[in-house]
Amino acid sequence: MMRWRAAGVAALGAGTLGLLFGNPLFLVVATVPTVYAVYGFLSGVPSPGLAVERSVEPEAPEPGEAVTVRLTVENVGDSPLPDIRVADDPPPVPVDGSTEAASALRSGESLIVEYELSLPRGTHEFGDPTLTVRGVAGRAGEKTVHDVDGATEITCWTLLDEVPLRDRTIHFVGRTPTDTGGSGVEFFSTREYQRGDPVNRINWRRFARTGELTTVDMRVERAITVVFVIDDRAGAQRSWPGYGPDTLDLTTYAVSRALPSLLESNHRVGVAACSGLASDDLASYTEPGRDAATRSAADETIDYAQADGGSVSAERAIRALRERLPANAQVVCCTPLTDGFAEDLVEELEAGSHGVTILSPDLTTAGGDPSLGAATEALQRRARADRLQRRGVPVVDWSLSEPLALTLSRVFETWGETR
């Protein structure tokens, strides 16, 4: 601004001297600052009228999924903007692409800044974008931090707090079937009518055809007691490449999804976090139950498992678990099978009357072609699973390409089996 005023003063002074002394040289000299002053006036910074909007795609990403951010700046004023510069303020996460752009905008035109983010779990806030408008001569103009319409934050659904819409319902109906007849929902056998049998279970069609009274027995279904054991030892966990979920996220997510379905089906459900069993931490174990208090306590145990597990003696934890388990409780051990913990657990519980099922999230094939170390670990994990299966222990692998509901249904099918 000062340089344009100085040019104007110089032009006025030279023109005045030329008129006073009648010397055309002064008039020629005045031409240069006059042109300079007029140029500065015409190239002044226009008053901008701007609309700023930010969009993200997808709006509810999973951890590690690439998120495309698009910041659109539109000139909604009447004047053209010869030079506008935009800088977005993304969350402090890895960014692919430029968060800045510059252009000239006529009225009604837009400038788009597009880049990608790689987000960890949680909610991430954007800052306000900075806009700078300059004149034709590069004159520094208005620099503003602009409010933005649209997305101001983005949330990667956490495995315990956000349930994907595509996998909201677990289809698990009924209780564990037995090999005895009685009242139930599934046909078991027919037998000769006995005095006192319910009328609605008499086979009236057969009576009409043969004159014989027979009674239909249905397969008896009984509620079970199940305890989920979460292997939350810090050294046992494996992570999805980038910012994706680790095996502890997946196992706690699976348990949190199974709990309401089992409780609604009148089963007794408990939860144990391996890291706190040996130290008798009360929050690390929820006694099996079927009421609202059990659900609340189980959620606390899941939260406990979500915290970083410290160094823990697997042997002591397994012994402590065995002492707490109710008789005939089914055990679902949620573990990534990165070491011999599950085999030790099965060996300890085989002496009791506890059936054990292994639910194991498989991240050994995540991220494309594995390294030599990852391939070796995958083979070792497969060998552990094979040894368990040879002992008659069901091992349910959970690949992230398979819906959790389907994986859990395969776990449910193993309960009540004789091993």
Side-chain angles (χ1 to χ4, degrees), residues 42 81 111 123 145 219 228 257 286 298 300 348 350 352 383:
L42 295 176
L81 302 178
L111 172 63
T123 298
V145 177
R219 186 181 297 276
F228 289 92
R257 293 293 313 284
T286 298
E300 290 183 9
E348 182 74 21
E350 273 186 342

Side-chain angles (χ1 to χ4, degrees), residues 165-237:
L165 293 177
R166 64 175 181 273
D167 194 21
R168 185 173 293 276
T169 303
I170 297 175
H171 301 287
F172 176 54
V173 180
R175 301 173 176 82
T176 300
T178 69
D179 292 325
T180 59
S183 60
V185 295
E186 180 184 351
F187 175 80
F188 181 73
S189 66
T190 59
R191 58 174 173 80
E192 185 179 347
Y193 173 79
Q194 297 176 1
R195 187 180 180 85
D197 283 346
V199 174
N200 62 349
R201 284 171 48 200
I202 296 175
N203 191 337
W204 294 108
R205 290 187 179 182
R206 183 170 181 176
F207 175 75
R209 188 173 63 252
T210 66
E212 297 178 4
L213 276 177
T214 56
T215 299
V216 176
D217 274 342
M218 310 303 287
R219 186 181 297 276
V220 175
E221 294 178 330
R222 296 178 182 148
I224 63 170
T225 298
V226 57
V227 175
F228 289 92
V229 178
I230 300 173
D231 182 5
D232 60 336
R233 297 169 300 138
Q237 308 309 318

